[in-house]
Amino acid sequence: MDSSGRLASGIKETQVYKDIYFFDEGDGRNKKLLGGKGAGLCEMKQLGLPVPPGLIITTEVCNRFYDNGGKLPDGLMDHVREAMRKLEQMTDKKFGGSKNPLLVSVRSGAAISMPGMMDTVLDLGLNEDTLQGLVEQSGDERFAYDTYRRFIQLFGKVVLGVNDELFSRVFEEAKRKRGAKSDDELLTEGLKDVVQKFKRLVHEQTGELFPSDPYLQLEKAIAAVFRSWNGKRCVDYRREFKITPDLANGTAANIVTMVFGNLAGDSLTGVVFTRDPATGEKRLYGDYLTNAQGEDVVAGVRTPKPIDKLRQEMPAGYETLLQISDKLERHFKEPQDLEFTVEGGKLYMLQTRNAKMNAEALVRTSVEMVKEGILTREESILRIKPDDLEQLLHRRIDPKAQPKKIASGINASPGATFGKVVFDADEAERRGRTGQKVILVREETKPEDIHGFFAAQGILTNRGGKTSHAAVVARGMGKPCVVGCSDIRISGGQFSVGQIVVNEGDIITIDGTNGSVYLGEIPTIDPEPTPELTELLQWADEFRRLGVRANADTPEGAQLARKLGAEGIGLCRTERMFNATDRLPIVVDMILADTKEERMRALDKLLLLQKRDFKEILKAMQGHPVTIRLLDPPLHEFLPSAEQLRERLKALPARGEDAAELSTIQKMLEKVKALSEVNPMLGHRGVRVGLTYPEIYEMQVEAIFEATAELIQDGVKPEPQIMVPQVAMREELIPVKQIVDKVRKQVEEKFRFEISIMFGTMIEVVRACVCADRIAELADFFSFGTNDLTQGTFSFSREDAENKFLPFYIDAGILTENPFQTLDANGVGRLMEIAVQLGRKIKPQLEIGICGEHGGDPKSIELCNHLNLTYVSCSPYRIPLARLAAAHASLRPN
Amino acid sequence: MDSSGRLASGIKETQVYKDIYFFDEGDGRNKKLLGGKGAGLCEMKQLGLPVPPGLIITTEVCNRFYDNGGKLPDGLMDHVREAMRKLEQMTDKKFGGSKNPLLVSVRSGAAISMPGMMDTVLDLGLNEDTLQGLVEQSGDERFAYDTYRRFIQLFGKVVLGVNDELFSRVFEEAKRKRGAKSDDELLTEGLKDVVQKFKRLVHEQTGELFPSDPYLQLEKAIAAVFRSWNGKRCVDYRREFKITPDLANGTAANIVTMVFGNLAGDSLTGVVFTRDPATGEKRLYGDYLTNAQGEDVVAGVRTPKPIDKLRQEMPAGYETLLQISDKLERHFKEPQDLEFTVEGGKLYMLQTRNAKMNAEALVRTSVEMVKEGILTREESILRIKPDDLEQLLHRRIDPKAQPKKIASGINASPGATFGKVVFDADEAERRGRTGQKVILVREETKPEDIHGFFAAQGILTNRGGKTSHAAVVARGMGKPCVVGCSDIRISGGQFSVGQIVVNEGDIITIDGTNGSVYLGEIPTIDPEPTPELTELLQWADEFRRLGVRANADTPEGAQLARKLGAEGIGLCRTERMFNATDRLPIVVDMILADTKEERMRALDKLLLLQKRDFKEILKAMQGHPVTIRLLDPPLHEFLPSAEQLRERLKALPARGEDAAELSTIQKMLEKVKALSEVNPMLGHRGVRVGLTYPEIYEMQVEAIFEATAELIQDGVKPEPQIMVPQVAMREELIPVKQIVDKVRKQVEEKFRFEISIMFGTMIEVVRACVCADRIAELADFFSFGTNDLTQGTFSFSREDAENKFLPFYIDAGILTENPFQTLDANGVGRLMEIAVQLGRKIKPQLEIGICGEHGGDPKSIELCNHLNLTYVSCSPYRIPLARLAAAHASLRPN
């Protein structure tokens, strides 16, 4: 079982279950069968918390529903009737009774929470008869009609498929007609009118009368909840969050006795987190609405009151909530996200689930819950998915920019970002697909906007609080979000703040950390790790076996990497140094050189510059290894493209005053043509260039040795390693090793001391994997280049595949993941295994790392740990993630 | 030991040898130590044949010569002196004696024969003193001076490095001055004059007097012979023919008592093959020259008499030669290439070596020597290198062409070919490098022309016989060659035949099978296998385990493949059918289709055409499997290039009358851009196209099933196999298998009988190798595509590599062979081994083949046999070669 509760429980599939469980009998650990909501209600009930009586129709029934062609299984409704009779006994109410009627909600709930993605019906059981019973029971006619119109609208939309807009229009029209500014200003007569119009609307839209038989209502509602499991937005969500059938398969339907937050007087409904989900601070965090039903809070229709207010308005209720929070946290070992309703002064718990938090909150709660004795260190590490840390190091507004904000809202999900304003989700998706950065700006968001969230850089809403749909979803995705920004007015394809008008397509910047909105693109800067993160990662370091190094090509990158915990540089690309503006012209001279002598002149200039680069980076990392890769890209990458050169030729004056330039461009064009390749990925690059132009590698090796020697003289402890790219055979390494040995001897003679530099190779060509034993005879270390290795293994060109068939392959389930993001364990992983085994057969202590993108991917890191690599190397900002993932891999070995 | 004598003997390196062996003591099997020539002389001596007394300085001494910085090892000359004293005793002559002088030749000879590549000195030991002795001894002053002038010229050239042209000029001038038409018309006085002038020439050119001390001559000659082992042309030759140090390392120097074919009277010298090296016919074949030394025959300076003439001129000598031939053939189990000299009526054997023959002769002699009881069938198969068969199926002049020949010469090496006339080897090489086909036309060729032979399609010479340099080398290379074509006159960058003038660069056709020369390019046709080849290959079939199939896409190809012994079609490429002129427009429509419906319309048309293709090819191969590969290339290959389309756009009339065409071209251009790829080799092709456009594969599968069903109805027995290209994962095969199953069901229902078609996959992506077990769950067969597999394994793009770094890699010894020509056993072979092992773990009887170029390469076939593949598939013309190579692999398992 999974103590973190963040993954599905491991209950065996073969067990046979009942179709229906009451909250006091269901096994709360079995989320897969009962769904998260049902399981939470069972747990709470069995912990003795105030939960309205209710029952769960299992996910297993949902699956039978689909097997049965979308119909409820035979006999199910007989069981439901039996259960409802028991519920009537428990509540002392009568379902469909004209006296003291029992009303219920029918709520969806899958094993994995998908907030707002599936359907729920409230207030079910109402008809003209039971309505009178409700009036009598509550003594509040307006409440009863308000409940009835809510029921017709929700049932009409969710179960009967009537467009929600049509209901809203009728309701708004009624409010307008009677001068009601807010929903609660519409009184009984108005609501009666609305009820009749709603019924007529349903009849018009569906051709049938609104069903009045409560059991028919119930049957239809259960089927609708099951159906919503396969609704489009639900399927999209599962694909996006990789919720596969083994994690959650079907939804349960929960039938819960209604309690009413929309009664007059001491009634309210709220949503609360046991800790602040944006910061992790230990305090109740959330909102409530008096005289409202739960959906009003979540949907963000009315701006609710912050939960602190409840402490004053209802001190006893607040205190009870605090106690319940504490109990639930210690039980679940996770901060909880609670729904509650107070009906006439009495508190009922309607839901508990593990709180979705952003990474900062996850980290802080992890560290604090260890200190509170709730979690062990191992548990605190394992409860955080390494991917979550990616959003942790959020970019923030550069303080030097001192921008002027145009509006403020609620800081719902941290981080600063910019993009073009769009006002609907489809447009966001359309522009996103073409690579544009967009900010989705909405009055409020609804579950059907989910595709717009995926496409957007950030979200800005006019209404809603920290628990509104927009806030919850944005936090889940780690995207900056500002909600409840009532300063802005949205209408007709633009929004305005005072005199300022922002049109669709204009760029704005939002800062979800403090809720600010700015015009235009504001510069942002890199984040700093929090003290909690630093502490957590120190714990992770104690558990992990795998080393973590960084990819960095500059002294600044090296310093950042050290600060974030890198134990060395696993990949220092020398070609980036070639591309610097002061170098490129020399590199071009070198490439265009007609003779070896000309080439040597250019190389001599580069030697001095590269030596300085290496000195700086080796100094920044002193005492830690720095793996310097010799030149890798094909030479044509340093030249302009043929097309660019042809353009330049065209632009030259016709009369030929620029004879010198003309000749240079023509020479360059010839060289570009000579160097052009049909498949550059598989072309003249890496060690192939190093062998055909040995003077280039010789220059680089000399720069490394000289830099090392000079640093040693200065008392610094440089630890360079020389790495050869694109090696396919031992025979390619021999001449490079000869160069290294020759240069070593020269420099040692010059400086009169010994210089020891490890010599190794990338393993990024398939052939190197299967011949790794022979290569290990020459190499002191290996470093997997799994991007190239993946290309060679699949015969996929990454550039082409990701734009062409790869998305199709993933959609069609041919690939479960993009192999360029997550290592393909069965193909590439197998080759790596062969390489490790062959390499260590020759040198049992062979240092073997991985550099490149996969080195910062948690699943890939797990595989690297399994393959017994020495270290992973990734970009500096992924170092924290990699440290955590490495600890996970150790704590949860395959 | 190798009974064929075609490979180096297996004598261990560690044995310690003497420096010098006499012919009656050397072990003739140890060619590596004694060189081929020395070993042959020992064998002949020990068989009791008439060999002039002589001795061998071993190849091992040659190696010490190089270790010693190009100087003879200390003490060697003491041993030589001692041996010369023994030789004096054996011959009863005196080296350097003014009475009865002993003259010797110093001859090179490595383990592997490299005709004409190394140096030899004749008549050594002459000076003014010994000359008088020779006059006395022979009683022929002219002979003595002739011998002396030969010695000075040859020694001057070979040992002292004087330009041979200078000697020739002096000699020709002397002839001219005295009105001598041929060499033997120059009498004693003239020769005396030549000798003086030669000596002066040597003095002028070298600054030293011609050495008169015979031991000094001998010492210098031995060193020169050793030096010639590392001469440029010798090194080139060894690289071209892959003669590595383990096969031959250094040359021996043979010191042989001179016998004189240039004595007046019953003296002659000749070169003879024991069987016709061009046809294999059992008869003496060769030429001789009366009053000449051996070099005159080989160099082609004078046109010699055919050996048949000797039967009349010297019947006893001829008979002796016949007996010796027979004895040597039975001893060596190979036809021999003999050098002999008759001095005063007495026959001496100067050399025997295995005859170089063209493939036709090799095959015929193989078959006949089995019938004569000289060879076993196994020996007869193993003595032919599979590569040799490549030249066997020579193209010949199309009989329908009925061209008029302009000249005739001697048919020295068979086959018809055409090319541009060039008159020197450098020019041939220069043009050859740019891809031009050339015919090298020369008065006669010399060893220094060897680079021109490599570059030329064929060779035409004005002088020389069937054993001239040109003839021997061309036959060795399997290139068409016509020699002794005295009809043509070469001068000043052109040749003429009667009124016809052919300039450099003009195209001619030569037919080395019958010695004809034609103007222009004459059409040639494919060859037929000879009865001997058919018989030999039937023997080979009995020994081989590996199946042999052909790559063929047309009914004609299929028929040819059957005729040449293919047991099925291992690769039938369907895209070639797409490219036929009647199909391409439909294919283009299919690609440009905006909707699935438009695409389906085009596909429906293609369906009918493909069905017809398949019916024809399946019928041609009935009873044998035909593996049909579904569409493989990326779709853009069927469209014009963007550049071509832009040209077409430019060419359109400006006023827009061609709006329709304009729009089509623009649409095509857009599509071409959309389909363009950075690395097409790794792009959207093979099954990736098949999965993204399933209707294409569905059409092809339907065409295959329908064709099969209709043939079954007609009583034909089709055996199609459906093969999916570019598969990297099992998951790609699943949807294709579903298509196949669906179509199978449809067609079975339509025809009302069961249709069984094997379903399999190419293994050409690295990942497929390491996941072959999972793939074998779905595939009935595998077929390795080792071209793509090699690209993926090395990360080499073939197109790029072969033009860029691959030649450098091979020159530098980083690769010993082009991995696209010969399978890389250690890399690609290792992956194949994994695939075979994993595949057969799931299906022990899994059929596994290889298609593509490697399937026709002997070394690769050997590897395939070793890997236990089911069959190899190659182009029809390589089928005979593959059958032989497969037999070799069985007879000589790893």
Side-chain angles (χ1 to χ4, degrees), chain A residues 42-310:
Chain A
C42 290
E43 293 275 314
M44 287 198 289
K45 183 80 193 172
Q46 291 164 38
L47 282 171
L49 304 184
V51 173
L55 54 94
I56 306 159
I57 306 175
T58 67
T59 58
E60 208 266 323
V61 177
C62 177
N63 284 319
R64 270 164 36 220
F65 168 84
Y66 281 108
D67 292 345
N68 198 25
K71 284 185 194 129
L72 293 178
D74 291 346
L76 177 74
M77 284 310 294
D78 297 338
H79 294 152
V80 169
R81 276 169 203 276
E82 205 178 300
M84 288 302 289
R85 278 191 290 276
K86 191 172 161 198
L87 194 63
E88 287 171 343
Q89 289 167 11
M90 290 163 83
T91 56
D92 206 14
K93 294 180 178 170
K94 175 92 182 130
F95 188 58
S98 55
K99 294 221 179 272
N100 200 17
L102 171 63
L103 300 189
V104 297
S105 58
V106 181
R107 293 165 182 262
S108 57
I112 305 259
S113 169
M114 300 188 286
M117 291 296 119
M118 287 185 299
D119 290 329
T120 280
V121 176
L122 301 178
D123 310 306
L124 186 137
L126 277 176
N127 56 26
E128 293 297 331
D129 282 356
T130 56
L131 177 68
Q132 294 318 314
L134 186 64
V135 171
E136 201 172 294
Q137 194 184 50
S138 64
D140 183 342
E141 194 180 20
R142 187 199 168 274
F143 155 74
Y145 275 95
D146 184 52
T147 305
Y148 197 24
R149 68 94 191 166
R150 286 172 184 272
F151 171 56
I152 298 170
Q153 177 167 359
L154 202 52
F155 191 94
K157 169 189 168 195
V158 167
V159 181
L160 304 176
V162 177
N163 185 344
D164 199 35
E165 276 294 309
L166 301 174
F167 289 112
S168 294
R169 255 185 247 156
V170 169
F171 190 65
E172 293 299 322
E173 170 67 19
K175 276 162 72 181
R176 206 183 45 74
K177 222 168 77 186
R178 289 170 205 256
K181 282 186 205 133
S182 67
D183 293 1
D184 52 2
E185 288 178 24
L186 191 66
L187 302 183
T188 311
E189 287 316 301
L191 291 169
K192 280 184 178 172
D193 186 29
V194 166
V195 161
Q196 290 317 310
K197 288 198 169 125
F198 274 11
K199 282 190 174 179
R200 211 176 306 136
L201 181 65
V202 167
H203 192 184
E204 281 165 19
Q205 292 290 316
T206 66
E208 301 198 13
L209 292 174
F210 189 88
S212 60
D213 173 6
Y215 274 104
L216 183 61
Q217 290 173 359
L218 189 58
E219 186 173 351
K220 282 177 180 284
I222 294 167
V225 163
F226 285 164
R227 261 200 313 275
S228 69
W229 170 256
N230 263 355
K232 179 180 181 306
R233 62 175 200 253
C234 212
V235 172
D236 286 352
Y237 187 96
R238 287 200 296 274
R239 193 181 47 233
E240 179 71 16
F241 288 101
K242 295 187 181 151
I243 302 175
T244 48
D246 56 308
L247 296 179
N249 195 8
T251 180
N254 302 284
I255 301 176
V256 191
T257 305
M258 281 300 299
V259 290
F260 298 99
N262 56 336
L263 265 178
D266 272 356
S267 296
L268 54 87
T269 190
V271 175
V272 80
F273 288 83
T274 57
R275 302 188 188 224
D276 185 333
T279 66
E281 189 187 345
K282 183 166 169 58
R283 63 173 181 112
L284 287 190
Y285 173 98
D287 326 90
Y288 67 98
L289 278 169
T290 44
N291 192 5
Q293 287 202 343
E295 301 299 294
D296 300 339
V297 187
V298 177
V301 176
R302 281 158 56 194
T303 302
K305 307 178 195 170
I307 196 71
D308 285 346
K309 201 107 190 183
L310 190 66

Side-chain angles (χ1 to χ4, degrees), chain A residues 673-685 687-689 691-692 726 728-729 731-732 735 764-768 770-771 774 788 791-801 804-805 808-809 813-815 824-828 830-831 834 838, chain B residues 673-685 687-689 691-692 726 728-729 731-732 735 764-768 770-771 774 788 791-801 804-805 808-809 813-815 824-828 830-831 834 838:
Chain A
K673 279 188 207 160
L675 291 174
S676 85
E677 291 175 315
V678 183
N679 298 291
M681 194 42 238
L682 307 177
H684 194 177
R685 50 186 294 236
V687 69
R688 301 163 205 163
V689 169
L691 292 176
T692 43
Q726 294 293 335
M729 349 171 209
E731 290 72 18
E732 289 170 313
E764 56 185 333
V765 171
V766 170
R767 196 179 185 284
V770 295
C771 303
R774 309 251 12 242
D788 280 22
Q791 298 196 87
T793 304
F794 278 88
S795 284
F796 285 175
S797 158
R798 179 169 190 175
E799 280 173 284
D800 298 316
K804 301 238 157 92
F805 56 87
F808 166 81
Y809 265 36
I814 293 170
L815 280 168
D824 159 48
N826 295 323
V828 179
R830 175 78 186 103
L831 287 166
I834 291 172
L838 292 176
Chain B
K673 278 188 207 157
L675 291 175
S676 84
E677 293 175 316
V678 184
N679 298 292
M681 195 44 237
L682 307 177
H684 194 176
R685 50 185 296 237
V687 70
R688 301 161 205 165
V689 168
L691 291 177
T692 43
Q726 292 295 333
M729 351 171 208
E731 290 71 19
E732 290 172 312
E764 56 186 334
V765 172
V766 170
R767 195 179 186 283
V770 295
C771 302
R774 310 251 13 241
D788 280 23
Q791 297 196 85
T793 304
F794 279 88
S795 285
F796 284 174
S797 160
R798 180 171 188 174
E799 280 172 285
D800 298 316
K804 301 236 157 92
F805 56 88
F808 167 80
Y809 265 36
I814 293 169
L815 280 168
D824 160 48
N826 296 326
V828 178
R830 174 80 185 103
L831 288 166
I834 291 173
L838 292 175

Side-chain angles (χ1 to χ4, degrees), chain B residues 90-108:
Chain B
M90 291 163 82
T91 57
D92 205 15
K93 295 179 179 172
K94 176 89 183 135
F95 189 58
S98 55
K99 295 220 181 271
N100 201 17
L102 171 62
L103 301 189
V104 297
S105 59
V106 182
R107 293 161 184 261
S108 56

Side-chain angles (χ1 to χ4, degrees), chain B residues 411-464:
Chain B
N411 51 337
S413 179
T417 189
F418 70 93
K420 292 180 182 168
V421 168
V422 296
F423 294 100
D424 79 58
D426 291 343
E427 178 67 11
E429 194 179 37
R430 202 186 60 70
R431 293 197 183 223
R433 230 187 257 131
T434 68
Q436 297 180 48
K437 291 180 189 304
V438 299
I439 306 285
L440 180 59
V441 180
R442 300 280 283 162
E443 283 288 318
E444 61 191 300
T445 65
K446 293 193 174 177
E448 42 269 48
D449 293 326
I450 188 84
H451 58 296
F453 278 67
F454 296 135
Q457 304 299 305
I459 291 93
L460 169 62
T461 71
N462 179 224
R463 286 190 281 182

Side-chain angles (χ1 to χ4, degrees), chain B residues 208-501:
Chain B
E208 302 197 12
L209 292 175
F210 188 88
S212 61
D213 173 6
Y215 276 103
L216 182 61
Q217 291 172 1
L218 189 57
E219 184 172 352
K220 283 178 182 283
I222 294 168
V225 164
F226 286 163
R227 260 198 316 274
S228 69
W229 170 257
N230 263 355
K232 179 177 181 306
R233 63 176 199 251
C234 212
V235 171
D236 288 352
Y237 187 96
R238 287 201 296 272
R239 191 178 52 232
E240 178 73 15
F241 290 99
K242 296 189 179 145
I243 301 174
T244 48
D246 55 311
L247 295 180
N249 197 7
T251 180
N254 301 283
I255 300 176
V256 191
T257 306
M258 280 302 297
V259 290
F260 299 99
N262 56 335
L263 263 180
D266 272 356
S267 295
L268 52 89
T269 188
V271 175
V272 80
F273 289 83
T274 57
R275 301 184 190 228
D276 186 333
T279 66
E281 189 187 342
K282 182 164 169 56
R283 63 174 180 110
L284 286 189
Y285 173 99
D287 324 270
Y288 67 99
L289 279 169
T290 44
N291 194 5
Q293 286 201 348
E295 299 300 294
D296 299 338
V297 185
V298 178
V301 177
R302 280 158 57 195
T303 302
K305 304 178 195 170
I307 195 73
D308 284 345
K309 201 107 187 180
L310 190 66
R311 182 175 242 153
Q312 298 141 30
E313 287 194 2
M314 199 185 279
Y318 187 83
E319 195 50 41
T320 309
L321 254 185
L322 270 183
Q323 286 163 9
I324 289 174
S325 293
D326 196 54
K327 196 163 191 172
L328 287 172
E329 277 196 347
R330 291 195 178 262
H331 179 74
F332 289 111
K333 296 188 167 207
E334 277 290 330
Q336 296 295 300
D337 167 358
L338 307 173
E339 280 184 31
F340 65 93
T341 285
V342 176
E343 182 190 89
K346 178 162 170 41
L347 175 72
Y348 293 94
M349 299 306 298
L350 296 183
Q351 174 165 305
T352 189
R353 61 185 177 196
N354 293 337
K356 292 214 175 191
M357 286 174 281
N358 66 17
E360 190 179 332
L362 270 171
V363 169
R364 179 164 171 184
T365 52
S366 255
V367 171
E368 292 185 352
M369 287 197 300
V370 168
K371 294 182 178 171
E372 293 164 24
I374 300 177
L375 297 179
T376 65
R377 286 184 177 189
E378 288 88 334
E379 287 169 339
S380 87
I381 286 166
L382 286 171
R383 75 184 273 270
I384 301 179
K385 281 191 288 184
D387 273 336
D388 290 337
L389 294 193
E390 202 189 353
Q391 45 153 304
L392 184 56
L393 297 163
H394 298 290
R395 296 190 71 75
R396 55 200 177 94
I397 301 287
D398 185 349
K400 282 180 268 171
Q402 298 195 314
K404 235 192 104 198
K405 66 182 171 188
I406 57 166
S408 271
I410 298 168
N411 51 337
S413 179
T417 189
F418 70 93
K420 292 180 182 168
V421 168
V422 296
F423 294 100
D424 79 58
D426 291 343
E427 178 67 11
E429 194 179 37
R430 202 186 60 70
R431 293 197 183 223
R433 230 187 257 131
T434 68
Q436 297 180 48
K437 291 180 189 304
V438 299
I439 306 285
L440 180 59
V441 180
R442 300 280 283 162
E443 283 288 318
E444 61 191 300
T445 65
K446 293 193 174 177
E448 42 269 48
D449 293 326
I450 188 84
H451 58 296
F453 278 67
F454 296 135
Q457 304 299 305
I459 291 93
L460 169 62
T461 71
N462 179 224
R463 286 190 281 182
K466 281 199 174 177
T467 49
S468 66
H469 175 262
V472 170
V473 174
R475 274 199 301 276
M477 294 184 181
K479 299 200 170 182
C481 177
V482 174
V483 297
C485 182
S486 50
D487 300 352
I488 66 173
R489 247 180 316 273
I490 305 173
S491 74
Q494 58 183 41
F495 77 79
S496 56
V497 196
Q499 300 304 312
I500 302 168
V501 174

